[in-house]
Amino acid sequence: MKKTFSSKKSAFSLIELSIVLIIIGLLIAGITGGASLIKSSELRSIMGEARGYAVAVNSFFTQYDQYPGDASNAVGSNSIGNGDRDNKIEFVNDASTKFSEGIDAWFDLKDIGAIDLALTSVSTSSPTALVPVTNIPGSKIKGAGWVFDYHVVNLQNVVVLTGTTTAFDATNFPSLVNETTKSAAAEIISAPDSLSIDSKIDDGKANSGNVQSVNQLTSTTECSNADAYTVSNGAKKVCVLTFRVDVSS
């Protein structure tokens, strides 16, 4: 007698496939949603940090009638030098001594208790790179930090969001925010994120108001062109941002 065997092929039902697709969709939504929340948190932190430093500068000015870093006399033991008291917190204000008011400002603020950070000062006789967290306050964005400077075009004292700077030098890098000369600042934030911050706390224009962009000399329109941020560059980190900290701002 011949034996016959039947083979049964099993497959996913439409319901099972639908459940799998729904689960995959939920996972994708969760991942993208989480990334969006992280990004929003970073941008809020940057805005909060900038506001906090503006308050610290105002507190110092209220006490001493001078800007931190620019103060003509040390206000405590952490200060690394004396400024020229011209109401400008210049990144480098003395070509002969290479003294940086923009760096010393952090140590002046530490002396009055306005900030509580363990920063390592750099030698004014042997210029070096400024590393976020080590030499300058770090930011929520990985690799970003803050340095004070005076914007010679817009006549503003600003705190600058930058990456690790190149070696600061009074001759070659007198400013972090001068777009017509070589700058020591390093691009650290994208144009879309810069626009988002500017739109939330200022006028949304790259070259006006209290929040402004800085185009490096090597990429003069990558961050912004006139007042418009170059959002077409997407997530590329092409911007350095400045936030005004004058007592009148």
Side-chain angles (χ1 to χ4, degrees):
M1 182 187 262
K2 243 184 188 180
K3 289 187 179 178
T4 58
F5 297 92
S6 64
S7 62
K8 217 177 186 184
K9 291 185 178 179
S10 60
F12 289 112
S13 68
L14 286 175
I15 293 175
E16 290 170 326
L17 285 171
S18 298
I19 292 171
V20 170
L21 290 172
I22 289 171
I23 292 172
I24 292 172
L26 289 172
L27 288 172
I28 292 173
I31 292 169
T32 54
S36 177
L37 287 173
I38 291 171
K39 176 61 67 178
S40 295
S41 174
E42 287 181 345
L43 299 186
R44 283 196 302 272
S45 293
I46 290 170
M47 291 183 278
E49 289 162 2
R51 280 193 295 265
Y53 295 140
V55 170
V57 168
N58 275 262
S59 297
F60 189 96
F61 195 91
T62 299
Q63 281 185 252
Y64 297 99
D65 197 31
Q66 302 176 79
Y67 281 101
D70 185 53
S72 55
N73 295 299
V75 298
S77 59
N78 288 292
S79 180
I80 57 177
N82 298 329
D84 56 11
R85 198 171 184 177
D86 61 357
N87 287 327
K88 303 173 185 177
I89 313 175
E90 296 154 302
F91 179 59
V92 176
N93 74 308
D94 191 325
S96 60
T97 63
K98 299 183 176 69
F99 179 64
S100 173
E101 293 181 345
I103 299 170
D104 187 47
W106 297 117
F107 296 94
D108 279 351
L109 292 176
K110 184 174 181 178
D111 277 328
I112 68 166
I115 61 170
D116 183 20
L117 298 169
L119 300 176
T120 303
S121 62
V122 295
S123 171
T124 55
S125 60
S126 179
T128 184
L130 302 177
V131 181
V133 180
T134 302
N135 310 119
I136 55 177
S139 179
K140 183 76 171 179
I141 292 182
K142 186 177 179 181
W146 297 93
V147 185
F148 286 105
D149 198 4
Y150 182 74
H151 204 305
V152 294
V153 175
N154 301 307
L155 308 180
Q156 296 177 354
N157 285 304
V158 295
V159 64
V160 185
L161 182 70
T162 175
T164 297
T165 71
T166 52
F168 79 88
D169 183 284
T171 303
N172 298 316
F173 303 117
S175 173
L176 290 176
V177 295
N178 191 340
E179 295 179 340
T180 59
T181 61
K182 197 171 182 182
S183 171
E187 297 95 333
I188 196 63
I189 186 171
S190 71
D193 287 346
S194 300
L195 173 60
S196 178
I197 290 172
D198 199 331
S199 298
K200 284 181 173 65
I201 61 176
D202 199 31
D203 58 4
K205 296 179 179 179
N207 294 329
S208 68
N210 293 329
V211 179
Q212 298 191 30
S213 69
V214 177
N215 279 306
Q216 299 299 75
L217 193 65
T218 53
S219 50
T220 53
T221 60
E222 277 204 315
C223 176
S224 61
N225 189 0
D227 268 337
Y229 287 96
T230 315
V231 295
S232 58
N233 276 319
K236 284 175 61 180
K237 293 185 176 181
V238 293
C239 291
V240 172
L241 275 187
T242 71
F243 299 78
R244 189 178 182 188
V245 293
D246 287 303
V247 292
S248 59
S249 60

